[in-house]
Amino acid sequence: APPRNKLPFKERISAYIDAIIDPSPIYVYAIGKALPRIYVAQGLIKVASDISDASFLDLIRQHAPARRAVIKNAADNAATVSADNLKITNYELVSDGFNVNLKGSTAGSVIINGSYMPFWKAYADGKAVKIASANMVHMIISVPPNTKSLKVRYERPLLIDKVKKQLFGKITK
């Protein structure tokens, strides 16, 4: 990339033109043994909310590659240890989230390899279920026994809807 600071304008433009004509190489890499996009938790490590960041990261490094979830504030979420017979049969990415098909007769936790935000909502066979942060970069969702379908949606309200609600009260669609 061309230098971007403290060069005179003329030299900066020259560096940009050189980079366009003869760009530097692009490096593509793969992460070995990366976790899948969606998987069933193989264990659950609950820690206190006041754990130090260094200790929390050490636990994540130790447990996350083995598909175990490390979560803070255990009392605030409904994550459960996975059941041996809970399986993900398939999943699909949709425009606002994921559709996950499950097979199994007992409760468990599904982990999504994506960062948690409060706008994510999860529905097990149409019923709302809790979703929480795990491993700092994952979402964990507890599913009840015999769940066949898990829908995860990003439901951030639009600014226009918030303004209408403030001005006119409850908005119905």
Side-chain angles (χ1 to χ4, degrees), residues 97-157:
F98 308 92
N99 291 335
V100 183
N101 293 317
L102 301 165
K103 183 178 180 181
S105 60
T106 54
S109 293
V110 172
I111 296 179
I112 296 182
N113 201 342
S115 296
Y116 169 79
M117 292 186 71
F119 304 112
W120 283 106
K121 307 293 181 207
Y123 306 93
D125 291 334
K127 295 178 185 166
V129 291
K130 284 199 170 195
I131 185 168
S133 176
N135 303 334
M136 293 180 98
V137 295
H138 297 138
M139 293 181 275
I140 188 164
I141 304 159
S142 282
V143 294
N146 299 307
T147 299
K148 304 288 183 232
S149 168
L150 178 65
K151 293 186 185 309
V152 182
R153 297 291 184 268
Y154 190 77
E155 298 177 353
R156 185 175 187 154

Side-chain angles (χ1 to χ4, degrees), residues 28-135:
V28 178
Y29 65 93
I31 299 172
K33 298 183 182 178
L35 292 169
R37 171 73 60 116
I38 300 173
Y39 57 96
V40 175
Q42 299 302 308
L44 187 62
I45 293 79
K46 297 178 180 183
V47 299
S49 59
D50 60 352
I51 188 171
S52 72
D53 288 344
S55 296
F56 190 49
L57 287 168
D58 284 343
L59 286 170
I60 292 168
R61 276 188 213 97
Q62 179 183 353
H63 294 287
R67 299 185 182 196
R68 292 186 291 266
V70 181
I71 59 170
K72 286 185 180 182
N73 304 324
D76 295 340
N77 65 58
T80 57
V81 176
S82 68
D84 288 334
N85 73 347
L86 183 63
K87 304 281 186 247
I88 295 171
T89 57
N90 68 340
Y91 72 89
E92 72 174 320
L93 300 173
V94 294
S95 65
D96 57 350
F98 308 92
N99 291 335
V100 183
N101 293 317
L102 301 165
K103 183 178 180 181
S105 60
T106 54
S109 293
V110 172
I111 296 179
I112 296 182
N113 201 342
S115 296
Y116 169 79
M117 292 186 71
F119 304 112
W120 283 106
K121 307 293 181 207
Y123 306 93
D125 291 334
K127 295 178 185 166
V129 291
K130 284 199 170 195
I131 185 168
S133 176
N135 303 334

